[in-house]
């Protein structure tokens, strides 16, 4: 079975923690801090692999994680960076945030490789926190956490032309005749299960890629049958060929079929009806009397709407050359850039979804303790001893609502506030 969607969990690596240590050497009894920095966490990267054409592998392995950064070490030794994790996908794969369904990346066109989740930065060792007033810092910065995200992978085939029609009208036969594709061909009354791609080589042109979109049925846009699974593949195409049974060998009405499929396309995505359309009236080799032909009625109905009708026989090849060159001319008048979906969701924003801080009054020593990831991170990159750093520190406490929470906890002027390795007296 063709696999064109999957749901997986991806995670970038955590940054290694900074190290707390002090020089202990002969003749240096009170050495300064020498804790090394933590290594950066590995990135989670998606990369196109031209040798893959389905998402089947993701049905068996649902978790992909980059390596964590190594913690810092003594003697100023930096922790090793975590290895990146590369996830290989077929061209045309769209990566969506599973919760919001917004597009994170479209692995199409020039986008062959993209960092989806960045690894956490390594924490700074305690050597960075030594100041004139704090020469023995017993605090090091923790590494930034990695980001975990559930994503939905969706493969939308990249083709210039989409071949649509009800089951058993001859789409697979046409594809096998005009391209190098070798689809399974049989008298299926339901639908071919696998979308098929083929390249049409036309003399004197660059050719184009055509996709046989499995037979649609009424109600496909509501998900009946395999509707949603296959309608998505039409979204990237630039021209659509409607294929109908002009001989009505199974009693179908070609005009009604075209309107029915167009209704399904509109229900799924109204933008699809803005694409140029062509009608391939197939099975003219099975028409023995002119009165049995629906071609005059098709031309009278659709050509005034600007939709050209081509009588063809996918079996004998009659009329195919005219159809294909007309489609090629349509494509030459359109933008040749591939249809690529714009990014709507930015995983970088998840780096700032941090737990709230806590404010606790410890009555035994009358100290107000403030803790939380934001506090740790702020202290790690702020030099409180500088005027600029102190002003930033004050602004941070005010904007984060920490001062307000301290007052709610009953703090008075002169009381001590402790934030990890920092202590200071509270004054308004």
């Amino acid at each position: 079975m063709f696999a064109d969607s999957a749901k997986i969990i991806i995670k970038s690596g955590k940054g290694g923690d900074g190290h707390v240590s002090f020089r202990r050497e002969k003749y240096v009894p009170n050495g300064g801090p020498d804790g090394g920095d933590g290594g950066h966490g590995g990135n989670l990267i998606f990369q196109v692999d031209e040798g893959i054409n389905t998402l089947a592998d993701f049905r068996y392995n649902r978790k992909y994680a980059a390596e964590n950064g190594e913690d810092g070490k003594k003697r100023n030794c930096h922790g090793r960076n975590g290895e990146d994790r590369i996830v290989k996908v077929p061209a045309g794969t769209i990566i969506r945030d599973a919760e919001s369904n917004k597009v994170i990346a479209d692995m199409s066109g020039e986008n062959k490789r993209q960092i989806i989740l960045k690894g956490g930065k390594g924490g700074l060792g305690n050597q960075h926190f030594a100041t004139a007033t704090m020469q023995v810092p017993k605090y090091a910065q923790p590494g930034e956490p990695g980001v975990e995200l559930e994503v939905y992978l969706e493969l939308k085939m990249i083709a210039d032309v989409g071949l649509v029609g009800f089951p058993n009208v001859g789409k697979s036969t046409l594809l096998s005749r005009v391209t190098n594709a070798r689809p399974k061909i049989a008298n299926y009354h339901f639908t071919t299960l696998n979308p098929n791609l083929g390249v049409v080589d036309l003399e004197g042109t660059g050719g184009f890629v055509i996709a046989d979109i499995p037979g649609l049925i009424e109600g496909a846009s509501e998900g009946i049958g395999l509707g949603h699974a296959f309608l998505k593949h039409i979204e990237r195409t630039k021209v659509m060929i409607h294929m109908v049974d002009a001989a009505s060998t199974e009693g179908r009405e070609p005009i009604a079929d075209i309107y029915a499929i167009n209704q399904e396309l509109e229900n799924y995505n109204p933008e699809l009806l803005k694409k140029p359309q062509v009608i391939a009236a197939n099975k003219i080799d099975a028409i023995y009397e002119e009165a049995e032909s629906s071609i005059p009625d098709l031309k009278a109905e659709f050509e005034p709407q600007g939709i050209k009708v081509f009588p063809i026989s996918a079996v004998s090849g009659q009329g195919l050359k005219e159809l294909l060159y007309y489609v090629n001319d349509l494509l030459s008048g359109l933008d040749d850039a591939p249809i690529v979906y714009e990014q709507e969701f930015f995983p970088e924003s998840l780096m700032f979804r941090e737990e709230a801080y806590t404010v606790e009054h410890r009555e035994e020593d009358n100290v107000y303790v403030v803790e939380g990831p934001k506090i740790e991170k702020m202290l790690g990159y702020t030099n409180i001893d500088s005027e600029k750093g102190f002003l930033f520190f004050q602004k941070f406490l005010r904007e984060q609502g920490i001062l307000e929470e301290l007052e709610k906890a009953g703090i008075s002027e002169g009381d001590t506030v402790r934030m990890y390795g920092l202590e200071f007296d509270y004054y308004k």
Side-chain angles (χ1 to χ4, degrees):
M1 175 70 181
F2 180 83
D4 62 356
S5 64
K7 190 177 283 188
I8 63 173
I9 295 171
I10 57 177
K11 185 177 182 180
S12 59
K14 174 190 177 298
D17 295 337
H19 189 68
V20 176
S21 62
F22 300 90
R23 289 173 59 196
R24 291 293 180 264
E25 302 174 28
K26 196 173 183 180
Y27 308 119
V28 188
N30 296 309
D34 68 351
D37 302 342
H40 298 320
N43 298 321
L44 195 291
I45 301 170
F46 274 75
Q47 180 174 305
V48 170
D49 186 333
E50 301 295 347
I52 303 175
N53 54 23
T54 79
L55 298 173
D57 290 347
F58 295 98
R59 295 189 172 185
Y60 310 106
N61 186 3
R62 294 194 64 247
K63 291 189 176 183
Y64 298 81
E67 188 179 28
N68 294 334
E70 189 178 38
D71 293 344
K73 299 178 175 61
K74 60 184 178 180
R75 297 183 180 176
N76 301 326
C77 289
H78 195 291
R80 184 177 60 83
N81 293 338
E83 292 286 337
D84 295 338
R85 179 64 185 270
I86 297 175
V87 181
K88 294 183 178 181
V89 293
T93 300
I94 294 178
I95 305 161
R96 298 179 183 271
D97 170 49
E99 182 178 347
S100 66
N101 203 39
K102 292 183 177 180
V103 175
I104 299 173
D106 185 351
M107 307 305 293
S108 306
E110 298 299 317
N111 190 24
K112 304 293 185 185
R113 178 184 171 96
Q114 183 170 335
I115 297 174
I116 302 300
L117 300 178
K118 291 185 177 180
K121 293 181 180 179
L124 299 176
N126 70 330
Q127 60 174 308
H128 295 276
F129 302 106
T131 66
T133 57
M134 187 188 294
Q135 298 181 11
V136 188
K138 297 180 180 179
Y139 168 78
Q141 186 183 35
E144 288 184 345
V147 177
E148 183 172 292
L149 186 64
E150 186 174 37
V151 296
Y152 179 69
L153 306 183
E154 182 180 41
L155 177 59
K156 292 180 187 281
M157 296 171 68
I158 302 174
D160 301 304
V161 178
L163 188 58
V164 298
F166 275 84
N168 207 34
V169 295
K171 298 191 304 300
S172 296
T173 303
L174 174 65
L175 190 74
S176 67
R177 187 171 187 93
V178 303
T179 76
N180 55 359
R182 294 292 177 264
K184 292 180 181 179
I185 301 172
N187 189 29
Y188 295 120
H189 283 78
F190 295 96
T191 178
T192 307
L193 293 181
N194 297 354
N196 291 294
L197 277 178
V199 178
V200 177
D201 292 317
L202 292 175
E203 187 176 348
T205 75
F208 55 85
V209 179
I210 186 170
D212 162 23
I213 309 300
L216 300 177
I217 59 175
E218 292 178 85
S221 57
E222 278 76 49
I224 295 176
L226 297 174
H228 278 167
F230 298 132
L231 278 165
K232 70 182 72 170
H233 296 302
I234 302 173
E235 292 186 88
R236 287 200 199 271
T237 62
K238 297 173 182 176
V239 173
M240 280 188 289
I241 299 177
H242 275 278
M243 199 161 187
V244 293
D245 179 359
S248 298
T249 57
E250 297 189 356
R252 299 200 63 88
E253 170 53 52
I255 292 176
D257 283 358
I258 292 170
Y259 280 122
I261 286 181
N262 273 341
Q263 186 62 55
E264 294 305 319
L265 298 178
E266 183 178 22
N267 291 345
Y268 180 74
N269 182 352
E271 293 296 314
L272 295 178
L273 289 189
K274 296 180 181 179
K275 299 176 185 288
Q277 297 187 11
V278 180
I279 294 173
N282 191 30
K283 302 188 181 181
I284 59 173
D285 56 292
I287 298 174
Y288 302 108
E289 295 183 17
E290 191 173 338
E292 297 175 355
S293 175
S294 61
I295 292 172
D297 292 336
L298 283 167
K299 289 188 174 184
E301 180 71 22
F302 294 105
E303 291 197 342
Q305 301 178 35
I307 302 175
K308 187 81 170 168
V309 178
F310 287 87
I312 68 163
S313 170
V315 172
S316 70
Q318 184 179 349
L320 294 184
K321 184 176 180 180
E322 293 82 358
L323 168 66
L324 297 176
Y325 273 98
Y326 179 80
V327 169
N328 188 76
D329 289 343
L330 280 179
L331 288 169
S332 65
L334 301 173
D335 183 3
D336 61 357
I339 297 174
V340 178
Y341 291 81
E342 295 292 330
Q343 185 171 6
E344 302 170 321
F345 183 88
F346 297 84
E348 296 86 1
S349 63
L350 299 176
M351 296 293 293
F352 303 102
R353 290 185 188 174
E354 298 171 330
E355 299 175 5
Y357 56 83
T358 59
V359 175
E360 178 187 0
H361 181 213
R362 295 182 181 173
E363 296 183 359
E364 61 272 18
D365 50 4
N366 194 31
V367 172
Y368 290 81
V369 179
V370 183
E371 294 180 336
K374 282 187 178 181
I375 308 297
E376 283 189 294
K377 185 178 291 185
M378 183 275 300
L379 290 174
Y381 60 66
T382 305
N383 181 7
I384 306 297
D385 294 326
S386 72
E387 181 180 359
K388 185 177 180 181
F390 182 72
L391 291 175
F392 173 82
F393 176 65
Q394 285 186 313
K395 182 180 178 183
F396 175 86
L397 295 179
R398 183 173 61 254
E399 290 183 348
Q400 296 297 318
I402 295 172
L403 296 180
E404 184 178 350
E405 289 298 320
L406 285 169
E407 290 177 0
K408 287 181 180 179
I411 197 169
S412 302
E413 290 199 6
D415 287 345
T416 300
V417 178
R418 180 184 300 153
M419 296 183 179
Y420 297 98
L422 175 69
E423 286 193 2
F424 61 93
D425 294 334
Y426 174 80
Y427 290 99
K428 283 189 178 182

